[in-house]
Amino acid sequence: IKYLFKIGEISKLFGFSKETLRYYYKIDLFKPSKIDDNGYRYYTPSKLDDLSTIRILRKLNVPIKDIKENLNHSNLDKTQSLLSNRVENIDEEINKLVYYKQNVQLLLNELSDFADNSSVELRTRPKLFSIIIDSIIDDFEWSLLVSTDNILKELQPFNLWFSFSQNISIISKSNLIKGNYHSYLSNGIISHKPLNLRTKNFKSKTY
């Protein structure tokens, strides 16, 4: 019976490269049972359970620091907690991907509308959500620059929402008729998704 495995054998058994196994040794995640005078690493069968656990958890994208903590203080409760947290993380990732998919589909639909510009028609759009600057903008260039900067600063925590939004400008009917297209009543950002945000610079509205 063979009781010691070389690093090459471990590599083939578990599908880890030798470089990965050396890295795990460097960060104190998975150590060999013995290192001889020539620097060759050997592993006993009892070490294989740890490496099997590492392989499973890495396949689940569990962070190395969490795997290390689990191996160092292994018990049923900690393992269950670790896996429960991973389930929550996966749910968050799924929700984010669904959000991306919905917005990509919306963009595709809008591009399809632009493809046929031979006619003009009145359509009822789905509900839209916007962040509108309250004050009337008289000086187009300066006011728009300052207000947009304020919006961007306050939207930083909502990066996902902002990624799929569009800039808008609102003008009065009279200015539209006169052709004064840069005399704005307000400016802002519009999206298909709601955002609960109200500040001194701007507020959320629904259309």
Side-chain angles (χ1 to χ4, degrees):
I1 300 176
K2 188 171 184 179
Y3 292 99
L4 293 177
F5 296 88
K6 296 179 180 178
I7 189 172
E9 294 171 320
I10 293 291
S11 175
K12 292 179 180 178
L13 280 172
F14 288 89
F16 288 111
S17 68
K18 294 180 181 179
E19 291 73 18
T20 297
L21 292 172
R22 292 189 182 101
Y23 173 69
Y24 286 168
Y25 169 70
K26 182 179 179 181
I27 63 173
D28 202 25
L29 177 64
F30 181 70
K31 291 185 175 182
S33 304
K34 173 185 176 183
I35 301 178
D36 66 15
D37 295 338
N38 295 318
Y40 292 109
R41 295 171 169 82
Y42 296 93
Y43 304 84
T44 59
S46 62
K47 299 290 290 183
L48 304 187
D49 287 340
D50 285 347
L51 195 56
S52 179
T53 299
I54 293 171
R55 180 177 62 178
I56 293 172
L57 295 179
R58 288 303 293 149
K59 289 290 185 181
L60 297 174
N61 285 330
V62 175
I64 286 179
K65 63 180 182 63
D66 293 338
I67 297 175
K68 187 175 181 180
E69 175 69 18
N70 183 71
L71 290 176
N72 290 339
H73 305 90
S74 182
N75 61 61
L76 182 59
D77 290 340
K78 283 188 175 295
T79 301
Q80 288 179 323
S81 177
L82 176 68
L83 294 176
S84 295
N85 289 337
R86 185 60 192 134
V87 169
E88 292 178 5
N89 292 336
I90 291 173
D91 285 338
E92 291 177 3
E93 293 170 11
I94 290 173
N95 291 335
K96 186 178 292 186
L97 288 173
V98 169
Y99 182 81
Y100 285 150
K101 181 181 178 180
Q102 291 173 345
N103 281 280
V104 168
Q105 188 60 57
L106 287 171
L107 292 174
L108 283 172
N109 294 341
E110 291 184 359
L111 289 175
S112 297
D113 292 340
F114 284 125
D116 181 14
N117 57 6
S118 59
S119 61
V120 177
E121 59 181 282
L122 183 62
R123 295 184 182 180
T124 301
R125 293 181 61 101
K127 183 183 293 185
L128 296 174
F129 304 88
S130 64
I131 295 175
I132 301 296
I133 301 165
D134 290 328
S135 59
I136 295 177
I137 295 178
D138 297 318
D139 183 346
F140 164 67
E141 292 185 356
W142 173 250
S143 298
L144 182 57
L145 178 63
V146 172
S147 58
T148 301
D149 183 62
N150 289 332
I151 288 178
L152 292 178
K153 287 180 180 178
E154 297 202 35
L155 282 180
Q156 285 179 355
F158 306 94
N159 184 56
L160 186 59
W161 181 90
F162 183 60
S163 297
F164 292 99
S165 60
Q166 298 174 351
N167 296 329
I168 61 168
S169 297
I170 300 175
I171 66 175
S172 66
K173 181 178 179 180
S174 60
N175 279 327
L176 178 63
I177 295 173
K178 294 176 184 178
N180 298 328
Y181 303 126
H182 294 303
S183 181
Y184 298 147
L185 290 173
S186 57
N187 286 273
I189 298 174
I190 199 165
S191 175
H192 296 277
K193 302 293 182 181
L195 177 65
N196 184 21
L197 177 65
R198 184 178 292 273
T199 74
K200 63 181 180 180
N201 292 321
F202 46 86
K203 62 185 180 180
S204 300
K205 293 183 179 180
T206 303
Y207 294 92

